Structure formats: structure tokens, C-alpha cells
């Protein structure tokens, strides 16, 4: 297993660690969960860089890297949803977009075409990770309710925009007559 894939697997292993820390009822645990989330998020940047820069791109990595990213982000969102800080409708938007884009990519591959990650998808991922990190912080100069809603709006808006953009730019993939 190469270095990039090891980093991806580290992210997978960190997901249950994050969950355990989230559910510990101690003042320090939210910050420990944040630290794990940040480390896991950084492995996403690092494994992609290493895979491309050192020619370590593998089929396993192509499959596991985006899966690990989605599970990490959805885990954090589900935790905030359970705490009443992330509305269920926003979680459904994120899940629906992921399923829809994955489905579009499957249809494209079936037609011999690969749909690469677009710029708006990268902005969505980065803004989601930053917002989720901010939501972990309990000592900020603004009320948590305001921060939570700003983050929810940013996450929902970038998710919707990038999902719509994928379908608009690749609408020819969905041949309604075939």
C-alpha cells in the first residue's frame, strides 16, 4: 500500500475516533474531536497531492479517497444534526447532491466519459470543511446560533450550486432518448 492510500486509510480510521470523542461528555472533547477532524481533513489534501505528485494514483485511491471524504463530512454533519445545530433539510441536500453527482458520473463512465471534479466542487468541499471546523469552536466573539446558521447557509448554497453546475455542464451525458 502506497503512502497516499495509507493517508486515505488513516482518514477512515479517524472517523470512529471522531465519533467517540464527539460523544464523550467532557469540556475538552469537542476540541479533541475538532483536532481529529482537522487532521483527517488535512490527510485529504496531502493524499491527493502525494498521489498526483509522486505518481501514486491507484484504483483503490480513486474509490476510497472520495468515499472517506464523504463519510468524514457526513459524520460531522450528522453529529451536529443530532445536537440540533445542523438542520436535517441541509443534511438531506448534501446527501442528495452526493448521490446525484455520483450517479451522473456512473452514467458518464458507462458512456466512456470521465467527469472530473469541478472548481465549484472544490470550493464546496473547502467551505464545508472550514464551516464544520468553525462549528466545533465554542468560544467565539459571535453567538453560536448565528455562526451555525451562516455555516449551514454556506454549506447548503455551495452544495446546491456545485450540484447544479455538474448537471448543467454535463447535461449531454443524460440522453433522455437512450
Amino acid at each position: 500500500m502506497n503512502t497516499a492510500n495509507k493517508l486515505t486509510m488513516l482518514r477512515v480510521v479517524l472517523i470512529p475516533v471522531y465519533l467517540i470523542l464527539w460523544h464523550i461528555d467532557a469540556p475538552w472533547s469537542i476540541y479533541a474531536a475538532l483536532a481529529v477532524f482537522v487532521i483527517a481533513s488535512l490527510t485529504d489534501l496531502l493524499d491527493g497531492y502525494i498521489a498526483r505528485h509522486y505518481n501514486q494514483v491507484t484504483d483503490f485511491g480513486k474509490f476510497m479517497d472520495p468515499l472517506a471524504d464523504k463519510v468524514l463530512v457526513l459524520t460531522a454533519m450528522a453529529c451536529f444534526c443530532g445536537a440540533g445545530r445542523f438542520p436535517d433539510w441541509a443534511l438531506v441536500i448534501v446527501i442528495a447532491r452526493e448521490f446525484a453527482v455520483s450517479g451522473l458520473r456512473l452514467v458518464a463512465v458507462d458512456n466512456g466519459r470521465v467527469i472530473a471534479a469541478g472548481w465549484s466542487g472544490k470550493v464546496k468541499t473547502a467551505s464545508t470543511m472550514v464551516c464544520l471546523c468553525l462549528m466545533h469552536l465554542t468560544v467565539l466573539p459571535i453567538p453560536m446560533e448565528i455562526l451555525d446558521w451562516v455555516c449551514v447557509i454556506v454549506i447548503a448554497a455551495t452544495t446546491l450550486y456545485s450540484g447544479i453546475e455538474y448537471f448543467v455542464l454535463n447535461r449531454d451525458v443524460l440522453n433522455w432518448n437512450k
Side-chain angles (χ1 to χ4, degrees):
M1 185 175 285
N2 64 35
T3 304
N5 289 341
K6 287 178 184 174
L7 286 168
T8 298
M9 290 311 297
L10 173 61
R11 190 162 57 258
V12 170
V13 169
L14 289 175
I15 293 167
V17 174
Y18 172 84
L19 268 173
I20 291 166
L21 290 168
W22 176 272
H23 288 287
I24 292 175
D25 189 20
W28 55 267
S29 64
I30 190 73
Y31 294 107
L34 170 60
V36 169
F37 185 83
V38 168
I39 291 166
S41 297
L42 290 175
T43 66
D44 180 33
L45 291 174
L46 192 55
D47 71 11
Y49 171 80
I50 289 172
R52 287 184 295 278
H53 189 74
Y54 295 103
N55 197 26
Q56 294 185 7
V57 175
T58 64
D59 289 339
F60 175 81
K62 289 177 192 175
F63 167 74
M64 189 56 77
D65 179 63
L67 179 62
D69 297 343
K70 288 169 183 45
V71 174
L72 174 66
V73 167
L74 292 172
T75 299
M77 287 180 186
C79 287
F80 282 112
C81 193
R85 295 183 53 203
F86 197 88
D88 52 3
W89 59 262
L91 183 60
V92 170
I93 287 172
V94 172
I95 293 169
R97 183 255 185 219
E98 296 305 336
F99 280 132
V101 170
S102 294
L104 180 66
R105 284 186 166 139
L106 285 174
V107 172
V109 166
D110 194 41
N111 291 317
R113 185 164 146 197
V114 174
I115 299 175
W119 189 80
S120 68
K122 293 177 188 218
V123 168
K124 175 212 51 110
T125 299
S127 62
T128 297
M129 298 272 194
V130 168
C131 283
L132 289 172
C133 286
L134 288 173
M135 289 176 72
H136 282 85
L137 301 175
T138 57
V139 180
L140 288 173
I142 62 172
M144 290 304 299
E145 298 82 21
I146 293 172
L147 175 70
D148 288 352
W149 276 105
V150 168
C151 287
V152 167
I153 290 166
V154 167
I155 291 168
T158 57
T159 297
L160 284 170
Y161 180 85
S162 69
I164 291 167
E165 183 183 68
Y166 271 97
F167 278 87
V168 168
L169 294 177
N170 299 288
R171 63 186 170 274
D172 59 306
V173 168
L174 297 175
N175 183 346
W176 292 84
N177 299 318
K178 188 174 175 183

